[in-house]
Each structure stands twice: as structure tokens, then as C-alpha cells.
Amino acid sequence: MRINKYLAHAGVASRRKAEELILNGKVSVNHTPMTNLGYQVVAGDIVEVNGVAVYNEEPVYYLLNKPRGYISSVSDEKGRQTVMDLMPQVKERIYPVGRLDWDTSGLLLLTNDGEFTNLMTHPRHGVEKVYVAKVEGQANKENLRPLTLGIKIEGKKVSPARYEIIKQDKTKNHSIVSLTIHEGQNHQVKKMFSQVGLPVQKLSRIQYGPLNLEGLPVGQFRRLSKKEVSQLINAAQTK
């Protein structure tokens, strides 16, 4: 396997970033610095990045129904609970594909496949993600229309989104709205609703590409089938 692909499959970085690591002298094979981008890694080779051995495990893919109150990270310097605490049975060195905020629940993918992660998260691939938000105020066509045109968040325009008003509660002055986006900037959905005067009170991601949370209780996870992985890859590659 070509060395940049080996590093990508090991979850170190995308193929392009892996090439940068190689050219910058950060990668060694059998304790010798490696700068040959075409090198083919063979069984028995010891591959290291910054002196740390890298192992190319069999790629695995999981779907987690993340509860609120967990960090989408492998570890946390503040000692907070992470999504890995929900998956102690998993032996592979997996990590989240993108992230959900601490107070956001719902569908989270995890894997040890760096190339897959890049495919799912890079904006140019535009994999659809569907969120359901409880927002303060009365959502309507007028105040939600800017989201369908593409608004600016911190000076950067995001792609147009689709919405559906699920419920309005005039007594409690809140609304339930689903929003479909193609990107995944930090706090993007919260910022989008805030921009149109509808601050988010509660948020959950219910769909990622063709996958949803049907039959999976909060806090539980399952391994994706080969068919589901292929569906996700196809969803990204057809954009």
C-alpha cells in the first residue's frame, strides 16, 4: 500500500496532508526518514510519524446516538466525559467524524479510516445532514427565508439550507424546526438560527446522508454494514 494511503487509512491525516508530513521529514519507515511519496508499505515495515509508531488497523465504522453532555473527542483535557466513554467495548482506535457540540445530541459517526473521514467532512463533498432544533420564538417563512438563500456567518457565506417547520407553540413562545445543511462548521446550525433571530434551545442531528437513528436508543451505538458505508461514500462522491 502506498505510504500516503497507509497513513490515511491509519487515521493520521488525509492523503494530501500525509504527503505534507512525508515531505517535511515527519515520517520514517524502519527508523529511516522517508521522503519518497511513492513508497509501498509492506508487511513488517515499522512506520512512524514524529517518532510514534502508526498501525494500519482494519477500517471500522460506527454510528452512535450521542446524548447531550458528552464531548465529541477521544479525550478531554478538562476531564469531561467523551463519546469514547459510551463505547468501551470497541477495541480499535476510533475517533469521531466531525463533531457534535457538548449540548447537542444525535447521530455521530466514528471510524479509524482517515480517508473516509476526509470524504465525509470536506465541504466540497456536501453530504447532507439533518438537524431538529427547538428554537426560541415563532419560526415562519419570513424569518427562515434567509437560510434558504445562504447567509453569512462571521463574514463567510454558507450554502443554502432547507427547512421544515414541525411545530409552533405560541404559549411557550418556541418552535420546532428541521434544517438540512451540507457543511459542518463549528456551531453552524446554532449560528444560522441565531442570525435570523431564533436562538437554539435544544438541538439534535437525526440524519447523516442516507443514515438515520431508527431503532437506536440514546447512548447506544452499532457497527455500520458494508452497504451503509458504501451508501455514505456514494453520497459524498455524487456531489
Side-chain angles (χ1 to χ4, degrees):
M1 181 183 293
R2 189 166 171 157
I3 190 165
N4 65 334
K5 185 176 182 180
Y6 181 95
L7 294 173
H9 276 264
V12 173
S14 67
R15 289 194 196 186
R16 180 182 297 178
K17 292 293 184 182
E19 289 181 351
E20 292 179 10
L21 290 172
I22 295 165
L23 293 174
N24 289 330
K26 304 293 185 181
V27 179
S28 65
V29 178
N30 300 325
H31 311 298
T32 301
M34 173 57 63
T35 56
N36 176 13
L37 296 178
Y39 181 80
Q40 297 288 326
V41 179
V42 298
D45 277 347
I46 300 173
V47 181
E48 297 174 307
V49 177
N50 292 321
V52 179
V54 173
Y55 301 96
N56 195 344
E57 299 174 318
E58 183 71 23
V60 292
Y61 312 88
Y62 290 93
L63 184 157
L64 168 70
N65 190 347
K66 175 188 172 298
R68 301 175 73 188
Y70 285 81
I71 303 295
S72 295
S73 177
V74 173
S75 61
D76 181 66
E77 67 281 359
K78 297 180 181 179
R80 294 170 294 183
Q81 289 182 305
T82 76
V83 291
M84 304 313 301
D85 294 318
L86 299 167
M87 309 175 70
Q89 308 95 319
V90 177
K91 302 305 179 185
E92 297 90 357
R93 296 170 298 167
I94 60 173
Y95 50 85
V97 176
R99 65 190 301 274
L100 291 177
D101 292 340
W102 175 85
D103 58 351
T104 298
S105 62
L107 197 160
L108 183 68
L109 300 176
L110 299 100
T111 186
N112 58 357
D113 185 341
E115 195 167 84
F116 173 83
T117 298
N118 184 59
L119 191 63
M120 291 299 106
T121 57
H122 198 289
R124 74 169 177 268
H125 298 300
V127 180
E128 287 193 346
K129 294 168 276 287
V130 183
Y131 294 79
V132 171
K134 177 182 177 182
V135 300
E136 181 182 335
Q138 297 301 299
N140 53 54
K141 292 181 179 179
E142 287 71 30
N143 54 28
L144 290 173
R145 185 171 180 271
L147 301 183
T148 68
L149 303 175
I151 62 174
K152 283 189 176 182
I153 295 178
E154 298 174 351
K156 183 179 180 180
K157 188 174 182 179
V158 298
S159 298
R162 302 195 309 273
Y163 73 84
E164 178 185 352
I165 300 173
I166 299 173
K167 181 181 178 180
Q168 291 177 312
D169 190 325
K170 295 183 178 180
T171 302
K172 297 182 179 179
N173 192 35
H174 69 239
S175 306
I176 307 295
V177 184
S178 74
L179 191 71
T180 302
I181 65 172
H182 303 86
E183 298 143 317
Q185 299 179 27
N186 285 345
H187 316 299
Q188 180 174 337
V189 174
K190 292 177 181 177
K191 290 176 180 178
M192 290 174 74
F193 278 116
S194 180
Q195 284 280 83
V196 296
L198 300 168
V200 171
Q201 298 177 331
K202 195 173 182 180
L203 184 64
S204 180
R205 182 160 67 194
I206 63 169
Q207 189 169 333
Y208 199 115
L211 301 186
N212 58 45
L213 293 167
E214 184 177 354
L216 189 65
V218 175
Q220 298 299 305
F221 67 94
R222 65 175 179 83
R223 190 162 175 170
L224 296 184
S225 67
K226 290 183 179 179
K227 180 179 178 180
E228 289 173 322
V229 175
S230 294
Q231 288 175 333
L232 284 168
I233 292 173
N234 289 337
Q237 292 177 336
T238 55
K239 292 295 179 181

